[in-house]
Amino acid sequence: MRVALFVTCLADAMFPQVGRATVELLERLGHEVVFPEAQTCCGQMHINTGYQREAVRLVEHQVDTFAGFDAIVAPSGSCVGSVRHQHAAIARRAGRVALSHRAEELGERTYELSEFLVDVLGVTDVGARYPHRVTYHPTCHSLRMLRVADRPLRLLRAVRGIDLVELPEAEQCCGFGGTFALKNAGTSAAMLSDKLRNVLSTGADVVSAGDSSCLMHMGGGLSRLAVDTRPVHLAEILAST
């Protein structure tokens, strides 16, 4: 299968190892992975902060950039959620009917990593080995917008050597929420405190998730606590051998 890597802004700018791990994993499973260099921000930040008219050009660019691939895969439930659930609506509101149809079609071929592995490839054992104690945080967009349910956990349970421990109150938001963490810093910090209390109660070496944004938020909190628990993206665990 010819797969396009939709790397996302955050992975491209701050967490390139997540993009590399995604490519390594998909290539190990026998697929051709292409990185369309013209890709930019998908527009989620603009849409969520009220700049919807400005986002139309980004929606059009996303559609043009990722045309012609069998599937588009991103290590981010948040960005995939925007492509699948926001782009067509943004185009329709701008009176761009043809673009809205193209955006809908692209959304149907755009997948978060775990749902692509489980639902499209039919794989849960990707041949990974990761001998660490790990707890998993289901990010809000992957859980509530994409409804990936237990797909990441099914993948993690098949990893050799892993000690996977349940996260108490796992479905509780970590408090990031993009610009929410800036505009509502006090509330965000309180939510983060609750999340980290639950993470540390597991005794895990690693807290994993499918979104670098949430891991960045939790990682900042963990670093300030000076503890050994570290954030690691799901793709990095699944790419480990």
Side-chain angles (χ1 to χ4, degrees):
M1 185 180 293
R2 188 166 179 262
V3 179
L5 173 65
F6 170 27
V7 73
T8 78
C9 297
L10 205 56
D12 184 46
M14 299 182 68
F15 303 102
Q17 72 276 11
V18 175
R20 287 195 294 266
T22 303
V23 173
E24 290 170 10
L25 173 60
L26 294 175
E27 289 184 340
R28 191 171 76 216
L29 294 173
H31 301 280
E32 177 191 1
V33 183
V34 179
F35 178 74
E37 294 187 9
Q39 63 183 285
T40 61
C41 175
C42 67
Q44 179 192 180
M45 178 178 66
H46 306 70
I47 296 167
N48 290 347
T49 51
Y51 293 92
Q52 299 191 1
R53 285 179 297 179
E54 291 80 357
V56 174
R57 286 189 299 170
L58 293 170
V59 170
E60 185 170 28
H61 186 72
Q62 184 84 6
V63 169
D64 290 340
T65 300
F66 289 98
F69 291 97
D70 299 319
I72 300 93
V73 178
S76 168
S78 176
C79 296
V80 171
S82 182
V83 170
R84 193 180 297 170
H85 295 288
Q86 294 180 322
H87 279 199
I90 290 298
R92 279 195 301 273
R93 287 174 195 154
R96 302 285 301 276
V97 176
L99 177 60
S100 73
H101 293 324
R102 294 178 66 203
E104 285 178 358
E105 192 276 332
L106 183 72
E108 293 172 355
R109 291 186 289 114
T110 303
Y111 301 92
E112 180 270 340
L113 178 62
S114 72
E115 63 176 1
F116 180 71
L117 294 171
V118 176
D119 295 348
V120 179
L121 301 185
V123 174
T124 52
D125 186 347
V126 297
R129 183 176 185 276
Y130 196 77
H132 301 282
R133 188 175 178 88
V134 176
T135 194
Y136 175 76
H137 164 65
T139 64
C140 291
H141 284 92
S142 65
L143 186 69
R144 297 175 175 88
M145 287 186 76
L146 299 181
R147 301 187 184 280
V148 300
D150 69 340
R151 291 169 183 81
L153 290 171
R154 288 159 65 184
L155 291 160
L156 287 171
R157 290 181 188 123
V159 173
R160 290 158 183 79
I162 197 170
D163 178 13
L164 185 62
V165 291
E166 183 177 355
L167 178 63
E169 300 182 47
E171 296 186 2
Q172 179 177 303
C173 177
C174 71
F176 179 63
T179 57
F180 172 85
L182 301 176
K183 294 178 179 178
N184 301 278
T187 302
S188 173
M191 295 169 74
L192 176 62
S193 178
D194 289 341
K195 175 59 66 174
L196 295 185
R197 185 181 304 111
N198 287 325
V199 168
L200 294 176
S201 75
T202 67
D205 306 310
V206 165
V207 56
S208 187
D211 278 88
S212 293
S213 53
C214 300
L215 289 170
M216 176 179 67
H217 189 55
M218 291 188 287
L222 291 167
S223 69
R224 290 189 292 275
L225 292 173
V227 295
D228 293 331
T229 306
R230 65 190 190 280
V232 178
H233 195 283
L234 174 68
E236 295 177 86
I237 294 177
L238 297 180
S240 297
T241 59

